Amino acid sequence: MACGQAPAEAGAQEPFNVARQGLQVHARLSAGDNHTLAVHASGGVWAWGDNSNGQLGDGTTVDRHTPVRVPGLSGVVSVSAGYAHSLAVLSDGTVWAWGSGYDGQLGNGSMNDSRSPVKVSGLTGVVSVSASRLHSLALRSDETVWAWGSGDGGRLGDGFTVRRVTPVQVVGLNGG
């Protein structure tokens, strides 16, 4: 097996050859607690590591020791790996999430895990995201910040300490 190739197994996908991609990949990587994400030069996402909550987005909960492609995503410009969930920003400004949804951190109105990417509700114009352990954040091009997931300790910045399963605007961070 050549360097960067996935083992020949049922469901194996095209290998992510880091050596071939060189420096095109280095600025678009994110390391979570136990998994890693990379944006391929083609605009697809590759993931590897722990997959107990579906945070690799390949439709399974099988841990992957080499990168596998996240199906259904293209035009990805950035990613963020959290504790057990993942986020991606597409070139159209939408955000997609997968993995643990225990506290609503997928932002799709549910508290269920998703083994495949789901669209975060109501967000457009997003330029950057950050995934944490139990919540997620997005920065829009209008300089507003949006948060969803666990509100414990006020971490969502909306003035409350409740869970939000869809994005809410962070108070006082718009345009200034």
Side-chain angles (χ1 to χ4, degrees), residues 30-154:
S30 182
D33 194 59
N34 291 308
H35 74 290
T36 305
L37 302 172
V39 178
H40 190 274
S42 68
V45 176
W46 294 77
W48 60 98
D50 177 58
N51 198 22
S52 56
N53 295 97
Q55 62 264 44
L56 301 185
D58 66 352
T60 75
T61 55
V62 176
D63 293 351
R64 304 294 184 167
H65 301 151
T66 58
V68 294
R69 187 174 181 128
V70 178
L73 289 180
S74 61
V76 176
V77 295
S78 68
V79 290
S80 183
Y83 175 74
H85 76 289
S86 303
L87 302 173
V89 179
L90 275 57
S91 57
D92 66 1
T94 60
V95 178
W96 294 75
W98 59 95
S100 175
Y102 175 78
D103 261 311
Q105 62 267 47
L106 300 184
N108 65 337
S110 168
M111 292 188 314
N112 296 321
D113 293 355
S114 180
R115 298 174 184 176
S116 301
V118 294
K119 190 173 182 180
V120 174
S121 300
L123 277 182
T124 58
V126 174
V127 296
S128 179
V129 289
S130 183
S132 184
R133 183 177 181 96
L134 299 174
H135 73 294
S136 303
L137 296 163
L139 172 66
R140 288 182 28 170
S141 58
D142 64 3
E143 298 183 4
T144 59
V145 178
W146 296 76
W148 60 96
S150 171
D152 288 352

Side-chain angles (χ1 to χ4, degrees), residues 1-2 4-9 12-16 66-68:
M1 180 172 12
Q5 283 187 320
E9 60 183 75
Q13 300 171 355
E14 175 189 343
F16 179 78
T66 58
V68 294

